[in-house]
Amino acid sequence: MRVKNMARIAALFTSCFGKSNGQMVDPPLISGKANAPEGVPDYVVKYAPLVYLHSDDIYGPSDIGAQLTNTTPKVNFNALPDLKPDPYNLDTMDRMNEAGTNGTNVYLTSNDDISKTPNWLKGVTPNVDGLTKDATTCTVIVVEKGNGTVDAFYMYFYAFNWGGIVLGKNLGNHVGDWEHTMVRFVNGEPKSVWLSQHSGGQAFAYKTLQKDKTGLRPLVFSANGSHANYAVTGLHNHDNADFHLPVPGFVNDYTEAGPLWDPVQSAYWYKWTQPASVPAGTQPPKPEVLSRDTTKLGIFTPYDPETPVGFLYYVGRWGDLRYKVDDPRQDEIFTLAWKYDTGPTGPAYKKLDRKEVWSTAKGKLLTKLVP
């Protein structure tokens, strides 16, 4: 009886909240084009993920450089001292590391009142070919782990994260949002895939995930507003990161097969090396960018020398500092969750040196599709 009752409850929630989890989608067909420069391993492009956005998500993928155009770097809500160059760009923004506490408390603070949803927060809608035209919205980082193992991190950038509704309140919003999919290759063959979800995520055997018409490129579903990555459409109860229940909870994500985004058509491409194993002949940091500290973050080497690299060494935040409690725009629940929270750190902080597929202290490899 309990099993039957649970099935009825799940069906009721499905009727109230939309399509059930795990719905298979028709394999899409995308051109397969990429802007990868010479030297990028062909398998990193061949097996690159495709991302389905949610149709109701107004905060789409965003141009990484535009985040600098629309924000001002601040410490404690105060503009930085007269550091040069000014304005900053993606290749010089690591000079901000000279401000505040070695740059760690620098925040790219919106020039506009984000509660009024300025247009730049909305990013770009991919065209019919999956391209975010005139906007570089992805960063691909290739990491050699030895013994034929290579991790390719596909980093997705959004100008804004909408946190959703919790106990009747809109909480968890922040300027700037970095999410990622990581594909682990062994001798050029994809073996497993990590999908980032808030502070955690899920690891799947590559063969488990849905694919495009070529049968090669895994399909990823980006949650409405939060942009957490999932393997299936539908409801995702995220009250406990280790258990994805098929019924709504306090913190929920929703995915569907909306606009299709092909991130590698408009991306920056890099190799990453840990400081202790820098290969002979590696170019040192540009001498004019004195704050670039490779002893902490490793070395990012662009496949195309014209590609900006400084932003990867920036140690500050990609959005505003959490608004003060007396800010009329702010709201909270018991000071545990806030309507407008602090922006995220950048790609260098996504545990590029991880040994396992998962980035958390514990994890497991899933071999079937789950919410």
Side-chain angles (χ1 to χ4, degrees):
M1 288 296 292
R2 288 184 178 179
V3 173
K4 290 182 179 179
N5 287 339
M6 286 300 295
R8 289 172 182 170
I9 292 173
L12 176 62
F13 277 118
T14 295
S15 65
C16 293
F17 292 94
K19 297 178 181 179
S20 61
N21 290 336
Q23 182 184 16
M24 304 296 286
V25 301
D26 292 331
L29 179 63
I30 287 290
S31 66
K33 295 179 181 178
N35 72 334
E38 184 178 355
V40 175
D42 59 355
Y43 53 84
V44 172
V45 177
K46 183 178 181 180
Y47 298 100
L50 292 167
V51 180
Y52 272 111
L53 305 172
H54 197 285
S55 297
D56 295 333
D57 192 353
I58 67 171
Y59 303 107
S62 303
D63 182 74
I64 301 169
Q67 199 75 355
L68 288 174
T69 304
N70 294 290
T71 62
T72 298
K74 295 184 178 182
V75 173
N76 294 326
F77 302 103
N78 298 312
L80 299 189
D82 188 24
L83 297 179
K84 299 295 184 182
D86 184 17
Y88 298 94
N89 59 43
L90 289 180
D91 206 32
T92 62
M93 66 181 291
D94 56 325
R95 291 299 296 265
M96 300 177 196
N97 296 348
E98 299 174 18
T101 308
N102 297 320
T104 57
N105 59 340
V106 175
Y107 299 84
L108 299 185
T109 306
S110 174
N111 295 332
D112 303 295
D113 181 353
I114 63 174
S115 68
K116 297 180 180 179
T117 317
N119 283 333
W120 68 272
L121 293 183
K122 299 178 181 179
V124 179
T125 300
N127 65 17
V128 294
D129 294 320
L131 170 68
T132 50
K133 190 175 181 180
D134 300 323
T136 304
T137 50
C138 175
T139 294
V140 182
I141 302 172
V142 180
V143 183
E144 295 185 8
K145 297 294 178 68
N147 298 319
T149 299
V150 173
D151 289 346
F153 291 82
Y154 305 85
M155 304 278 185
Y156 315 133
F157 183 70
Y158 305 83
F160 190 73
N161 176 100
W162 182 78
I165 304 299
V166 180
L167 296 177
K169 293 187 175 186
N170 172 213
L171 302 173
N173 306 311
H174 53 80
V175 174
D177 191 16
W178 283 101
E179 297 289 346
H180 69 279
T181 302
M182 188 268 276
V183 180
R184 173 158 291 182
F185 299 92
V186 178
N187 297 324
E189 296 295 326
K191 296 298 182 181
S192 48
V193 180
W194 169 259
L195 304 178
S196 71
Q197 300 161 357
H198 306 285
S199 60
Q202 292 175 296
F204 288 87
Y206 164 80
K207 63 182 180 180
T208 302
L209 298 182
Q210 300 179 70
K211 311 291 194 306
D212 71 335
K213 281 190 178 295
T214 69
L216 302 176
R217 304 184 65 181
L219 303 182
V220 177
F221 300 88
S222 176
N224 185 16
S226 78
H227 311 125
N229 297 305
Y230 295 93
V232 294
T233 60
L235 163 72
H236 308 275
N237 179 330
H238 215 275
D239 289 349
N240 187 315
D242 295 326
F243 300 97
H244 291 248
L245 302 176
V247 294
F250 292 109
V251 182
N252 303 296
D253 279 327
Y254 299 90
T255 57
E256 67 169 29
L260 186 61
W261 175 31
D262 187 0
V264 296
Q265 289 195 49
S266 186
Y268 295 126
W269 303 79
Y270 305 87
K271 292 180 288 185
W272 181 82
T273 309
Q274 297 187 63
S277 58
V278 178
T282 297
Q283 292 296 317
K286 296 179 180 180
E288 68 272 19
V289 187
L290 302 177
S291 62
R292 195 161 295 169
D293 185 354
T294 61
T295 63
K296 294 180 179 179
L297 300 182
I299 294 178
F300 294 92
T301 304
Y303 283 94
D304 180 349
E306 299 301 316
T307 301
V309 68
F311 74 97
L312 294 171
Y313 293 101
Y314 167 64
V315 300
R317 300 295 186 125
W318 285 78
D320 297 31
L321 175 63
R322 176 194 296 162
Y323 293 170
K324 296 178 180 180
V325 68
D326 59 354
D327 189 313
R329 298 169 295 181
Q330 187 62 284
D331 198 0
E332 46 85 25
I333 293 182
F334 308 123
T335 69
L336 297 175
W338 300 82
K339 182 174 183 178
Y340 292 110
D341 216 332
T342 297
T345 51
Y349 294 87
K350 304 303 182 183
K351 298 186 178 178
L352 303 179
D353 62 346
R354 68 185 70 173
K355 294 181 179 179
E356 303 295 344
V357 180
W358 42 87
S359 66
T360 50
K362 60 180 180 178
K364 60 182 178 180
L365 193 68
L366 300 173
T367 57
K368 63 178 181 178
L369 292 177
V370 296

